[in-house]
Amino acid sequence: MSADAQLFDDTFNITAIDANKYDRVSRLSGISTGNDIVMTCDVNTELYPCSIGDTIQLVLASTLSLDGSKDDGKGWRISNDGETSLSDIFDYVCHGKIYRFEEGEGESIKVYISFGGLLLFMQGPYKKLTPLRMDYVYLLMKK
């Protein structure tokens, strides 16, 4: 995958799961393996079940194309032409909008992303999260 298309890539340990509000959606909380980024992410656990203690790779990308070429507006649905994309490599894929950035304490920033109502919040070093200053991204996760 092109480095330009990959905006964020880190591994997180799931530290808590809140499944009280909805039937098929849980809010995962985790911390990166480098202990510098915290995240909470709403996940459809019927499609992607998780447990406390699981380790997941979380990638945010501007395109699903392996060569980094821009999307042509066709979305991420499975194509019939046999073309391989990032969605074939990961277990859970969503498309969403980055809707807010906030300054944190010191060199920290907060990022808020909505995937059709499922939310992702991350707080961490400005240097790691600043590439996310764009409108739309793909969320890709795998264990």
Side-chain angles (χ1 to χ4, degrees), residues 103-110 123-129:
E103 297 298 322
E105 297 177 15
E107 295 291 314
S108 175
I109 63 171
K110 300 174 183 179
Q123 180 175 356
Y126 178 84
K127 192 171 189 176
K128 281 192 172 181
L129 298 178

Side-chain angles (χ1 to χ4, degrees), residues 64-143:
L64 292 179
S65 176
L66 292 175
D67 64 4
S69 60
K70 293 197 183 276
D71 288 337
D72 59 5
K74 65 183 176 189
W76 68 271
R77 301 284 181 204
I78 298 170
S79 63
N80 294 331
D81 59 8
E83 182 180 324
T84 303
S85 75
L86 284 176
S87 63
D88 299 319
I89 300 169
F90 287 84
D91 301 323
Y92 189 75
V93 180
C94 295
H95 184 258
K97 179 170 179 54
I98 299 173
Y99 66 92
R100 188 166 72 192
F101 273 89
E102 287 181 1
E103 297 298 322
E105 297 177 15
E107 295 291 314
S108 175
I109 63 171
K110 300 174 183 179
V111 181
Y112 299 84
I113 309 171
S114 176
F115 302 95
L118 299 179
L119 304 178
L120 170 63
F121 163 79
M122 292 193 300
Q123 180 175 356
Y126 178 84
K127 192 171 189 176
K128 281 192 172 181
L129 298 178
T130 196
L132 298 176
R133 290 196 180 268
M134 59 184 334
D135 286 333
Y136 295 96
V137 294
Y138 290 95
L139 166 73
L140 304 117
M141 293 193 318
K142 68 179 176 180
K143 294 181 185 176

Side-chain angles (χ1 to χ4, degrees), residues 24-51:
R24 293 177 288 241
V25 175
S26 294
R27 180 158 287 172
L28 309 180
S29 298
I31 189 160
S32 65
T33 53
N35 291 321
D36 57 347
I37 299 175
V38 295
M39 70 92 180
T40 57
C41 184
D42 297 340
V43 173
N44 182 330
T45 50
E46 189 174 70
L47 299 174
Y48 190 69
C50 293
S51 302

